[in-house]
Amino acid sequence: MTTKELEYAIYKKYFNASKLTITNIKTVVKHECDVAVIGKSDYLTGFELKISKSDLLADFKKKHTHICKKIKKFYYVLPKDLENCVDLIPDEFGVIIVTKGSYIDNFCLKTPLEKTKYNCRIAREPEINKAAEKITVDEYINLCRLASMRVWTQKMNELKNEGLIQWNKAKICDTCKHQEKRGKYLVVIECRECRSLSNWEDKE
């Protein structure tokens, strides 16, 4: 089972009962959440998706522990073949086991319906962070904006791949790259006025 399938399984389970379901957020929370669900009561539930034992064990070596003032509940999401790894996960975190199957189609329908079924079984409930803070209106709007931006970026890429919109290629000179401090971080600045045209390369 792939990470995308685990994402989709969580989306199917929580979408109708939540205000927002979004993947890969690094804002609002202090670390990245693979999937975040904002419930009707404005509390956030976080999900970490793992498709291999090595990936799961590597997660426990990170500095952060998925404990955050904005996360009320946190689950690890595993495919069925990793169910034997549940005991490796700290007790404060919940565990969801995902199995893949098919809906039984005993009747003929003219309207196409989804046939693949993902079942999410809660193998262990997490400890509730009683000190968790609700998502504010501004935070909610920012997350909605992020979700919307991703949809329109996908639409833009589809138009680009179909040749319906065009982009100019940027000239980047590999010999003129230098780093400049922007706030706390060093960023690479490409010189676009370099006259050593022989060193230039077209890049998307």
Side-chain angles (χ1 to χ4, degrees), residues 145 147-159:
R145 180 177 177 273
S148 174
M149 183 174 63
R150 289 175 177 173
V151 171
W152 288 108
T153 299
Q154 181 180 347
K155 294 291 184 183
M156 178 190 68
N157 289 332
E158 290 173 359
L159 289 169

Side-chain angles (χ1 to χ4, degrees), residues 7-20:
E7 287 177 344
Y8 187 67
I10 295 299
Y11 155 76
K12 293 288 286 185
K13 179 174 176 61
Y14 289 95
F15 182 76
N16 289 332
S18 65
K19 283 187 174 180
L20 180 67

Side-chain angles (χ1 to χ4, degrees), residues 3-92:
T3 300
K4 287 183 178 180
E5 287 181 287
L6 294 182
E7 287 177 344
Y8 187 67
I10 295 299
Y11 155 76
K12 293 288 286 185
K13 179 174 176 61
Y14 289 95
F15 182 76
N16 289 332
S18 65
K19 283 187 174 180
L20 180 67
T21 302
I22 186 171
T23 61
N24 303 112
I25 67 165
K26 298 180 182 178
T27 182
V28 177
V29 295
K30 68 177 183 179
H31 56 80
E32 183 176 7
C33 269
D34 290 338
V35 178
V37 171
I38 299 176
K40 298 291 180 65
S41 58
D42 295 321
Y43 285 107
L44 187 149
T45 300
F47 301 85
E48 182 76 13
L49 315 181
K50 296 299 176 186
I51 59 173
S52 70
K53 184 177 180 179
S54 60
D55 190 22
L56 178 64
L57 293 175
D59 194 67
F60 302 141
K61 297 177 182 179
K62 296 178 181 178
K63 292 181 180 180
H64 68 75
T65 59
H66 300 294
I67 303 297
C68 175
K69 66 180 182 179
K70 285 293 183 179
I71 298 178
K72 189 169 186 178
K73 295 192 292 184
F74 193 89
Y75 292 90
Y76 276 85
V77 183
L78 312 175
K80 173 68 176 177
D81 58 357
L82 288 185
E83 188 168 10
N84 59 348
C85 296
V86 171
D87 291 339
L88 300 176
I89 299 172
D91 293 339
E92 62 264 32

